[in-house]
C-alpha cells in the first residue's frame, strides 16, 4: 500500500468540544489545503460530536479518556501512539495539554509546537507560580510556541523565559462568509423577540466561570435602572450552556426582567444568532484572542468587551466598539445604554468592525500563517524565511 506523502499534524487538546480554541482547530483543518497536510485530533479526555464540524473525511479522531490531574501515567500510551502515528508535528494547545510534549520528544517527533490560546480562571493574570514552573519544566521539549495575543507572547518571553526567536504571535481568523451582516428585521429561529422594534444585546459562549456571563446579566439589569425607557425595546440574548446558565436566569428573574431575556442554551446556528443581534458583549475574566469577538465583528456588530487578554488587540475602541474594565458591571451597563440610545452610531461601529475583520483577521491570513510556520519548521519548499 502506497504511503501518504503528506506530513501528519497531530493536534492535541484537553477536550474536543464546543469552544473557541476547538473552533480555531476546526477552521484551520477545514481551510488548509488538503494536499499539504494530513491531520489527527487527539483529546486527552473526550472527542465529542463537535467533530462533525470538520468537513474533511481524512481526519483521525482519538479520545484518551484521561483522569483528572497530571497524566504522567499516560506517557507510555502517548509515546506508543506517537510512534504509531509518526506525526511530523505535534501541536498542543494550552497548559492542560502541554504535558504531551515530553512523550512527543521521546518518540522522536521532529517538530513540537505548543499554542497558548488564553488563560484559565486559576491564573487570570499569569502570576500563578505553579503554572509558571510547569511551563518552564516542559520548555526544553517544545520546538516552537504560538501565542494568540501580544499579552501571551510577552508572558512566554518575559516570565517563562522562552527565547524570542521561538515565539510567534499569530491572530485567529474568522470565516467572514459564514459570519456576515444580517437584515435589520431578522432574528434567529425560535427567538421570542422581534426586530426592529426590539434592540437585542447578547453574548455567545460556554457558561463557565472564566466567561463571567452573570456580569452581563447584572449589567443589563443596571442598564434598565439607568434608563427605564429601555425596557420597552432592549432585550438580552445569552447563548450557551454550562453551570452559570441557571445563575444568570435567577439573577434576571429576581430583578423582574426575566421575560426580557432569552437563554436558549447551546446552539448550532451561532452565525444566525449573531446576525439577529444589534450589539455583542463579552464579559470574560480572561481571554486569548476571542473567536466570538471576531465572529461578532464579521457580523457587523459593535462589541463591548472587557480589557483582558487580546480583546483590545481586536477592538478599535471608539470605532468598532468599547473596552471596559473586567468585572465592572456599571461601566458595561453604561456602554449598553449608550449604544442602545444611539442605534445609528452603533450600526456604523459594527460596519467599521466588519471592515477591520476583512483587512486584518481573515481566515486566509490565519491559515497562511499557520501553514507557513509548519512549512518553515519542517523545511518544506515554499516556506517563508521571515519570522
Amino acid at each position: 500500500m502506497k504511503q501518504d506523502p503528506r506530513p501528519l499534524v497531530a493536534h492535541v487538546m484537553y477536550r474536543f468540544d464546543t469552544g473557541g480554541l476547538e473552533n480555531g482547530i476546526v477552521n484551520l483543518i477545514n481551510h488548509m489545503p488538503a494536499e499539504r497536510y494530513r491531520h489527527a485530533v487527539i483529546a486527552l479526555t473526550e472527542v465529542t460530536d463537535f467533530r462533525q464540524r470538520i468537513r474533511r473525511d481524512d481526519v483521525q479522531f482519538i479520545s484518551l479518556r484521561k483522569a483528572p490531574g497530571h497524566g504522567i501515567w499516560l506517557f507510555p500510551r502517548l509515546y506508543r501512539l506517537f510512534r504509531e502515528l509518526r506525526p511530523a508535528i505535534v501541536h498542543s494547545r494550552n497548559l492542560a495539554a502541554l504535558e504531551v510534549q515530553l512523550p512527543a520528544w521521546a518518540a522522536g517527533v521532529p517538530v513540537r509546537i505548543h499554542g497558548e490560546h488564553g488563560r484559565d480562571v486559576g491564573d487570570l493574570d499569569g502570576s500563578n507560580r505553579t503554572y509558571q514552573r510547569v511551563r518552564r519544566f516542559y520548555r526544553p521539549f517544545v520546538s516552537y510556541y504560538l501565542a494568540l495575543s501580544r499579552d501571551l507572547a510577552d508572558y512566554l518571553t518575559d516570565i517563562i523565559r522562552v527565547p524570542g526567536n521561538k515565539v510567534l504571535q499569530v491572530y485567529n481568523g474568522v470565516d467572514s462568509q459564514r459570519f456576515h451582516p444580517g437584515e435589520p428585521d431578522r432574528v434567529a429561529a425560535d427567538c421570542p423577540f422581534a426586530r426592529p422594534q426590539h434592540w437585542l444585546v447578547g453574548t455567545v459562549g460556554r457558561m463557565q466561570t472564566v466567561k463571567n456571563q452573570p456580569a452581563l446579566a447584572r449589567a443589563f439589569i443596571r442598564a434598565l435602572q439607568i434608563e427605564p425607557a429601555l425596557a420597552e425595546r432592549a432585550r438580552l440574548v445569552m447563548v450557551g450552556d454550562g453551570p452559570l446558565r441557571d445563575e444568570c436566569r435567577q439573577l434576571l428573574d429576581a430583578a423582574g426582567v426575566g421575560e426580557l431575556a432569552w437563554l436558549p442554551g447551546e446552539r448550532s446556528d451561532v452565525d444566525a444568532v449573531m446576525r439577529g443581534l444589534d450589539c455583542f458583549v463579552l464579559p470574560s475574566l480572561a481571554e486569548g484572542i476571542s473567536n466570538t469577538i471576531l465572529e461578532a465583528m464579521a457580523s457587523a456588530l459593535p462589541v463591548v468587551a472587557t480589557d483582558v487578554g487580546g480583546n483590545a488587540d481586536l477592538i478599535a475602541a471608539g470605532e468598532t466598539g468599547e473596552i471596559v474594565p473586567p468585572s465592572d458591571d456599571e461601566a458595561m451597563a453604561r456602554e449598553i445604554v449608550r449604544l442602545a440610545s444611539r442605534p445609528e452610531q452603533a450600526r456604523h461601529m459594527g460596519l467599521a468592525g466588519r471592515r477591520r475583520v476583512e483587512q486584518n483577521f481573515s481566515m486566509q491570513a490565519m491559515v497562511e500563517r499557520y501553514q507557513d510556520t509548519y512549512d518553515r519548521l519542517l523545511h518544506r519548499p515554499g516556506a517563508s524565511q521571515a519570522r
Side-chain angles (χ1 to χ4, degrees):
M1 183 175 179
K2 186 177 180 182
Q3 187 175 1
D4 194 323
R6 297 173 299 166
L8 174 65
V9 181
H11 304 273
V12 188
M13 73 296 305
Y14 184 74
R15 179 179 174 86
F16 194 62
D17 201 356
T18 303
L21 181 157
E22 296 82 359
N23 195 55
I25 296 172
V26 169
N27 286 333
L28 182 62
I29 294 175
N30 283 343
H31 291 86
M32 184 174 287
E35 68 273 10
R36 295 296 293 176
Y37 287 96
R38 293 179 294 133
H39 301 271
V41 172
I42 302 173
L44 296 183
T45 55
E46 297 292 335
V47 173
T48 71
D49 289 343
F50 191 72
R51 62 185 286 179
Q52 295 171 3
R53 300 206 181 181
I54 292 181
R55 297 192 295 264
R56 288 174 53 172
D57 58 8
D58 62 343
V59 178
Q60 186 173 1
F61 297 91
I62 300 169
S63 300
L64 297 179
R65 296 178 176 82
K66 172 181 177 292
H70 194 277
I72 190 169
W73 61 271
L74 199 61
F75 283 7
R77 186 177 174 191
L78 282 164
Y79 173 84
R80 292 192 297 270
L81 179 63
F82 292 140
R83 293 289 287 182
E84 177 187 345
L85 295 177
R86 299 180 64 187
I89 297 172
V90 164
H91 187 164
S92 59
R93 266 86 167 179
N94 276 351
L95 183 63
L98 177 58
E99 60 196 42
V100 306
Q101 293 289 332
L102 195 158
W105 166 82
V109 176
V111 173
R112 302 167 304 280
I113 298 174
H114 182 68
E116 290 286 352
H117 288 241
R119 300 198 188 282
D120 186 81
V121 68
D123 189 26
L124 295 176
D125 60 358
S127 62
N128 187 304
R129 296 294 181 88
T130 299
Y131 291 174
Q132 291 176 13
R133 286 194 291 269
V134 170
R135 285 185 169 93
R136 289 184 189 127
F137 173 81
Y138 285 104
R139 183 182 59 198
F141 308 107
V142 180
S143 309
Y144 204 68
Y145 290 83
L146 294 176
L148 266 67
S149 68
R150 288 178 294 177
D151 169 62
L152 291 170
D154 291 343
Y155 170 76
L156 288 171
T157 55
D158 298 344
I159 305 300
I160 309 303
R161 298 193 290 272
V162 177
N165 63 357
K166 291 181 65 175
V167 179
L168 178 67
Q169 195 258 301
V170 55
Y171 288 120
N172 279 343
V174 62
D175 186 342
S176 56
Q177 293 184 331
R178 179 186 174 202
F179 291 90
H180 59 82
E183 299 296 328
D185 60 347
R186 296 287 183 90
V187 295
D190 306 325
C191 179
F193 309 131
R195 299 166 74 208
Q197 55 265 49
H198 292 142
W199 189 87
L200 275 59
V201 56
T203 194
V204 175
R206 291 173 291 112
M207 289 200 166
Q208 297 179 344
T209 302
V210 72
K211 298 301 181 181
N212 199 28
Q213 286 93 345
L216 174 55
R218 291 190 296 268
F220 181 74
I221 295 167
R222 177 60 182 147
L224 299 181
Q225 294 171 345
I226 295 170
E227 189 59 66
L230 284 181
E232 291 296 318
R233 61 188 189 88
R235 298 293 184 267
L236 176 64
V237 174
M238 305 182 79
V239 172
D241 205 0
L244 297 183
R245 187 180 173 201
D246 286 341
E247 180 181 341
C248 290
R249 187 181 285 114
Q250 290 167 10
L251 281 169
L252 295 161
D253 288 343
V257 298
E259 73 280 2
L260 306 185
W262 183 46
L263 289 76
E266 187 175 332
R267 301 274 294 200
S268 60
D269 60 342
V270 171
D271 52 336
V273 170
M274 290 284 194
R275 287 192 290 276
L277 298 179
D278 295 285
C279 176
F280 183 84
V281 179
L282 191 74
S284 301
L285 297 172
E287 285 289 342
I289 287 295
S290 168
N291 280 300
T292 51
I293 286 182
L294 291 175
E295 291 166 357
M297 290 170 64
S299 304
L301 298 179
V303 178
V304 178
T306 48
D307 190 10
V308 297
N311 290 354
D313 294 0
L314 304 182
I315 298 168
E319 297 178 21
T320 68
E322 294 294 346
I323 296 292
V324 298
S327 300
D328 192 334
D329 303 346
E330 182 73 16
M332 190 178 295
R334 293 193 176 279
E335 287 302 329
I336 292 172
V337 170
R338 186 174 69 84
L339 292 172
S341 302
R342 304 173 187 175
E344 193 62 21
Q345 179 185 1
R347 190 178 72 84
H348 284 298
M349 294 177 85
L351 292 173
R354 170 73 185 187
R355 291 192 295 270
R356 182 169 168 81
V357 160
E358 292 173 338
Q359 293 167 4
N360 300 299
F361 303 107
S362 71
M363 185 66 66
Q364 179 182 356
M366 180 199 77
V367 172
E368 288 178 352
R369 200 78 182 272
Y370 274 89
Q371 182 177 316
D372 183 70
T373 301
Y374 292 167
D375 289 346
R376 185 160 42 83
L377 294 175
L378 289 175
H379 308 289
R380 298 194 77 197
S384 168
Q385 296 306 309
R387 178 170 175 270

